[in-house]
Amino acid sequence: MFHVLREKLDNEKTNDEPSTDTQHRLPPGQYLTDKFPVLHYGSVPAYEDLENAWDLRVWGEIEQPTQFSLAEFYALPTTEIITDIHCVTRWSKLNTRWEGVKFKDLLDYIPQLKPEANFVLFHCEQGFTSNLPLNLLLENDVLLAHKYDGIDLTPDHGYPLRLLVPGKYFWKSAKWLRGIEFLSQDTLGFWERYGYHNHADPWKEERYAE
Ligand SMILES: Nc1nc2c(c(=O)[nH]1)N[C@H]1C(S)=C(S)[C@@H](COP(=O)(O)O)O[C@H]1N2
Ligand SMILES: [Mo]
């Protein structure tokens, strides 16, 4: 599985040397691409009736579980950010433009977290998960994104909602998000269980677990 993905990406590699002004934005072992590769396990979900069949559930270490319909989620205030993204398969893309709800801001619209809420497990369609410590999710560039480059996410990039955590390898940025679970203990997500590094910092090349 990993090999298939990696070969596919290597074939798409551009050979342009990064210019000096962008070089410092390229983490070690990465190359720049202008494309927007699509990578995921499984198939792209097909939605027939999002208004009725989709919700975003929030549960775990929170005073009361809650949920949002798509209309309720779209009504939340959004932020636009322009940021660089880095995939563990070695492509990086600069100046990507996203719009969505800051994770930090979402906390104002859900019941109080319990003091023991220290980690989050994101749940997606088809059982995909990714995990992060709560304190990292409070950074200003962490979004629950529903737009890319000014328009709704395309189905293959996570429509209607994905996580965006630009400071980590892109596998943490879970597409087709349906659930946010607050946890007292860290729980490994999908790729983390398959041997990817739990911290996933591209600047430290935290690609695979030791
Ligand atoms: N639900 C879900 N989200 C996912 C994945 C997945 O398999 N399922 N793959 C991750 C990986 S490995 C990467 S690199 C990015 C790719 O996002 P993109 O297809 O928008 O480039 O999505 C991440 N989010
Ligand atoms: Mo990835």
Side-chain angles (χ1 to χ4, degrees), residues 5-161:
L5 287 180
R6 190 145 325 122
E7 275 164 29
K8 192 164 163 274
L9 266 296
D10 282 347
N11 291 338
E12 290 176 1
K13 199 182 274 193
T14 58
N15 290 318
D16 304 339
E17 282 294 311
S19 64
T20 45
D21 58 327
T22 55
Q23 197 126 37
H24 70 281
R25 287 164 63 181
L26 200 56
Q30 297 291 110
Y31 66 86
L32 282 179
T33 184
D34 288 329
K35 298 179 187 150
F36 194 174
V38 171
L39 275 177
H40 51 259
Y41 178 79
S43 55
V44 176
Y47 292 105
E48 288 187 0
D49 182 12
L50 272 177
E51 282 306 329
N52 294 304
W54 187 93
D55 60 6
L56 178 70
R57 297 202 305 124
V58 183
W59 75 97
E61 301 293 342
I62 184 169
E63 287 305 330
Q64 177 122 47
T66 189
Q67 62 190 64
F68 296 85
S69 68
L70 197 58
E72 286 166 341
F73 198 84
Y74 281 167
L76 299 175
T78 62
T79 303
E80 187 179 275
I81 64 161
I82 295 176
T83 188
D84 303 344
I85 53 177
H86 312 289
C87 176
V88 72
T89 58
R90 298 185 183 275
W91 57 268
S92 290
K93 186 171 173 60
L94 305 185
N95 302 319
T96 60
R97 183 160 66 101
W98 304 84
E99 188 181 327
V101 179
K102 260 191 219 177
F103 187 88
K104 189 169 86 174
D105 292 347
L106 182 79
L107 299 184
D108 296 337
Y109 297 92
I110 61 176
Q112 183 80 35
L113 299 184
K114 293 189 178 166
E116 50 273 49
N118 285 319
F119 297 92
V120 178
L121 188 62
F122 293 93
H123 295 261
C124 305
E125 302 290 354
Q126 302 166 347
F128 185 87
T129 51
S130 80
N131 62 305
L132 283 158
L134 179 62
N135 65 327
L136 297 182
L137 295 167
L138 304 180
E139 301 280 331
N140 280 320
D141 60 355
V142 175
L143 293 190
L144 300 161
H146 47 82
K147 287 189 178 193
Y148 174 77
D149 224 5
I151 54 168
D152 282 351
L153 295 174
T154 57
D156 52 359
H157 287 299
Y159 178 81
L161 186 67

